[in-house]
Amino acid sequence: MYLTTSPGPVETPVPARRAPLRLSRLISRTFSGGRPFLPDPVEPSLAQMQADLVRPYPVEFRPELLERGERNTFLEMTQDLLADLPPLQEPLDLVLVAHTVPDADPRRSPSCHLADVLPGDPLAFNLSDQGTAAGFTALRLVSEYAAADAFRRALVVLLDQRTFLYDTTGARDVPLQDCAVALLFGPEGRAGEPVTRQLAGVAPDEVRSTLEAVLNEPDGEGAGRPVTLVTGQGLDAERFGPTVDVRPAPPGRPCTGPWSALADVLPECEGAGPRRLVVAEYDSTLRYLCMSTLDLEEGT
């Protein structure tokens, strides 16, 4: 069980520098179809729960969608995604599940399931209400927990789900596809630990110049490397200079899209030299500009 205490005295020695959490594995998977909502033998009934959940908001529960709808729940996608990972032998310290929209069937928690079936006794929780910044917030939290508690291994699961039991007309950043992405972090891996920045209050006309400044800033060992920029759906996939290779995320995946695109880019880099990968997204509603930078070293 994860335990935390209040900060120690000012004179408490600073802990030794921790080992970086490198990106050991990145897997993306899409899903089609799904199971029908009915029959529903689980209590409380999904109809009752969804009606209660939407009551405080200006949307109406549509029970007729239960009759003809299908769903891939967060738990089901997580279980299938876990089967695509290699068997995990070492204990995990942290499991973080992030999504932009609610689960169509929230009665079973994917983070609790992962905490039960994965090795170790990890701290596990879900993250939401971050808009398209959800994946970036998850990576930032991984680094912050690792710095505070010397975590050595972590798993981040990102989820998009297209099924809603209420009207989403006029809503922004609604998923159009079921997709799950797993990012496994540990001491091994060619890609270094992501350095994540989240800037608030960035106006739309400031996005390009702010992002260009990050791409062009000198940064120690990463300076001078060729750059691949993965852009989320909130950014225009434009050229940012002769040394920047721009890869747009697939549409309709507000949470998983940039990381699915990154999963496609990584195999192309096998056998190549050092490279800097920058994953970026802009949420125009929240005015968050998010960037995660990973440096690839020599080798495969």
Side-chain angles (χ1 to χ4, degrees), residues 87-149:
L88 302 180
Q89 306 295 336
E90 300 295 331
L92 287 171
D93 299 299
L94 176 64
V95 171
L96 208 166
V97 178
H99 45 90
T100 59
V101 298
D103 193 351
D105 187 350
R107 291 173 296 183
R108 298 179 65 193
S109 167
S111 58
C112 290
H113 172 75
L114 290 172
D116 286 340
V117 302
L118 293 175
D121 188 15
L123 169 66
F125 58 93
N126 282 31
L127 171 71
S128 61
D129 292 332
Q130 293 285 301
T132 58
F136 298 87
T137 303
L139 297 194
R140 178 173 57 82
L141 289 177
V142 166
S143 293
E144 291 182 1
Y145 271 103
D149 296 292

Side-chain angles (χ1 to χ4, degrees), residues 6 30 35 38 44 58 73 80 94-95 122 132 171 181 193-194 228 272:
S6 58
T30 58
R35 293 189 302 108
L38 300 178
T73 68
D80 288 347
L94 176 64
V95 171
T132 58
V181 172
E193 178 174 339
T228 294

